[in-house]
Amino acid sequence: IVVDYSGVTGETFSYNFEDGSKNGIVGWGNSSTQEIVTENNSKVLKLYNPSKVNSWEAQVAFDRIFVPGNYTLTYRIKGDATGTIDQGFQYSYDPIETNTQFKNASDYPQTNVTTDWQEKTIQFSVTRACNRFLLNIGQFVGNIYIDNLTLEKN
């Protein structure tokens, strides 16, 4: 089966969190939490993971439709400790193939988190249509703060 993606542009999304809303951002695993908080007079996404587990055992998801192609992720990030997270694309279900729940649609590059705000830019090559962008935070213990997150198709 050949899937025709002509006319489907994918979705670019951007969050600065100033409206105080997570806008559909969800998370799960390892009793981790997600909330909007004020940090230095700006609203940011605060992620909390209580203990170190496999990276994918605590996740934050942005569910959208993404088409194959190259994407650029930019965001500001800091933690209350140092550590790492990884991020990438996933499809949670394929109606054509069987036994295909939760398969990767890109690499999952690792990002170092420090106690100072840092600007990060990460390039992805999405190999197939998918419906989820993930931040895997299971390897980081403590609070992570994220602001000005943008993911766009190049």
Side-chain angles (χ1 to χ4, degrees):
I1 295 177
V2 175
V3 179
D4 180 7
Y5 294 113
S6 61
V8 179
T9 60
E11 187 172 339
T12 297
F13 63 92
S14 183
Y15 293 103
N16 70 10
F17 306 108
E18 289 304 319
D19 66 358
S21 172
K22 292 192 298 181
N23 294 308
I25 298 170
V26 296
W28 51 81
N30 198 41
S31 298
S32 61
T33 60
Q34 314 79 41
E35 64 181 317
I36 304 300
V37 299
T38 300
E39 172 78 17
N40 294 330
N41 297 318
S42 180
K43 299 228 189 279
V44 299
L45 177 63
K46 176 184 169 186
L47 311 174
Y48 172 70
N49 186 43
S51 62
K52 189 172 184 175
V53 293
N54 291 316
S55 66
W56 63 88
E57 290 185 84
Q59 296 181 309
V60 178
F62 303 78
D63 286 351
R64 306 282 190 273
I65 300 299
F66 300 99
V67 297
N70 295 317
Y71 289 79
T72 300
L73 171 69
T74 58
Y75 58 86
R76 293 180 63 234
I77 187 169
K78 80 170 192 167
D80 59 10
T82 59
T84 60
I85 65 169
D86 58 69
Q87 55 268 303
F89 292 83
Q90 178 187 76
Y91 59 100
S92 59
Y93 173 76
D94 188 322
I96 299 168
E97 301 175 29
T98 58
N99 299 318
T100 57
Q101 284 191 313
F102 310 116
K103 300 291 183 180
N104 294 341
S106 74
D107 288 336
Y108 279 72
Q110 201 171 66
T111 298
N112 292 321
V113 179
T114 69
T115 56
D116 294 319
W117 282 107
Q118 293 185 319
E119 182 82 26
K120 302 289 184 175
T121 300
I122 302 159
Q123 304 292 322
F124 296 91
S125 178
V126 176
T127 58
R128 58 164 298 137
C130 58
N131 64 321
R132 180 169 286 160
F133 177 76
L134 289 169
L135 298 175
N136 292 332
I137 64 170
Q139 291 285 296
F140 187 95
V141 178
N143 295 307
I144 301 168
Y145 302 90
I146 294 177
D147 199 10
N148 299 329
L149 185 145
T150 300
L151 181 64
E152 61 185 335
K153 189 168 187 302
N154 300 338

